[in-house]
Amino acid sequence: KNENDQQNELKINEKDEEIERLKSENDNLKAQTKEYMQQTMELTENLEKQQISFDNDNENLKKQMEEFEQREYDLMDNKNENDQQNELKINEKDEEIERLKSENDNLKAQTKEYMQQTMELTENLEKQQISFDNDNENLKKQMEEFEQREYDLMDNKNENDQQ
């Protein structure tokens, strides 16, 4: 019986030691768990704050992207409008050039026509001048002949009067 009691007591002591060891381990685990739980809560809080910050950054980036896209669209629209205005200006200039070329061609044709007429008129005037000069020469001769006849007649009359 004594030996049995001793063995039981030994077993009980071992069990008590096991219990103390497990209690100590449990206390340590509880402390670690509490510490990890605290760290988890802090990390969760930080992650939530980061998520809010990230969401805000994302929202700002979206707004910036929208603004950028709008500016890009406006620039493209403006560029297209400028291109259209430039194309219109170029077309207007081309039309003006064509109009001026046509006007120049017409003026050249008119100038050529007037030059031709001027040459013909000059030729005719020269012929008229020659004819006028000839007529003048003939008139002078006729006048001289007339004057000569008149002189002769007067001379003749004086001679007759004397006789």
Side-chain angles (χ1 to χ4, degrees), residues 58-104:
N58 251 4
E59 196 58 38
N60 287 336
L61 282 173
K62 279 183 190 174
K63 285 179 185 172
Q64 285 177 352
M65 278 300 290
E66 286 172 8
E67 289 170 6
F68 174 77
E69 285 172 0
Q70 186 59 46
R71 280 198 309 273
E72 188 178 34
Y73 174 78
D74 290 346
L75 283 171
M76 288 302 288
D77 198 36
N78 202 11
K79 182 187 179 302
N80 287 340
E81 198 174 305
N82 280 347
D83 286 349
Q84 285 177 344
Q85 285 178 351
N86 284 337
E87 200 172 316
L88 271 176
K89 284 179 187 172
I90 289 169
N91 287 342
E92 287 173 2
K93 301 282 183 197
D94 285 345
E95 287 172 11
E96 178 74 3
I97 287 169
E98 287 307 310
R99 189 188 65 71
L100 288 170
K101 281 182 179 177
S102 175
E103 192 176 316
N104 278 357

Side-chain angles (χ1 to χ4, degrees), residues 61-153:
L61 282 173
K62 279 183 190 174
K63 285 179 185 172
Q64 285 177 352
M65 278 300 290
E66 286 172 8
E67 289 170 6
F68 174 77
E69 285 172 0
Q70 186 59 46
R71 280 198 309 273
E72 188 178 34
Y73 174 78
D74 290 346
L75 283 171
M76 288 302 288
D77 198 36
N78 202 11
K79 182 187 179 302
N80 287 340
E81 198 174 305
N82 280 347
D83 286 349
Q84 285 177 344
Q85 285 178 351
N86 284 337
E87 200 172 316
L88 271 176
K89 284 179 187 172
I90 289 169
N91 287 342
E92 287 173 2
K93 301 282 183 197
D94 285 345
E95 287 172 11
E96 178 74 3
I97 287 169
E98 287 307 310
R99 189 188 65 71
L100 288 170
K101 281 182 179 177
S102 175
E103 192 176 316
N104 278 357
D105 289 344
N106 289 338
L107 287 170
K108 283 177 186 174
Q110 277 184 339
T111 302
K112 188 175 179 181
E113 196 176 304
Y114 283 126
M115 200 169 77
Q116 186 64 37
Q117 288 178 1
T118 302
M119 282 171 53
E120 289 171 7
L121 286 171
T122 302
E123 238 176 75
N124 288 340
L125 282 173
E126 285 173 357
K127 288 177 183 172
Q128 280 183 336
Q129 187 64 42
I130 290 171
S131 174
F132 178 75
D133 288 348
N134 288 339
D135 288 350
N136 255 1
E137 198 57 41
N138 288 336
L139 282 173
K140 279 183 189 174
K141 285 179 185 173
Q142 286 176 359
M143 280 297 288
E144 284 172 9
E145 289 171 7
F146 176 76
E147 284 173 359
Q148 188 59 47
R149 277 198 309 273
E150 188 181 27
Y151 177 76
D152 288 347
L153 282 172

Side-chain angles (χ1 to χ4, degrees), residues 6 10 15 18 30 40 52 69 78 104 123 143 151:
Q6 273 184 344
L10 246 171
K15 299 282 181 191
E18 179 71 9
K30 282 180 185 174
T40 301
I52 289 171
E69 285 172 0
N78 202 11
N104 278 357
E123 238 176 75
M143 280 297 288
Y151 177 76

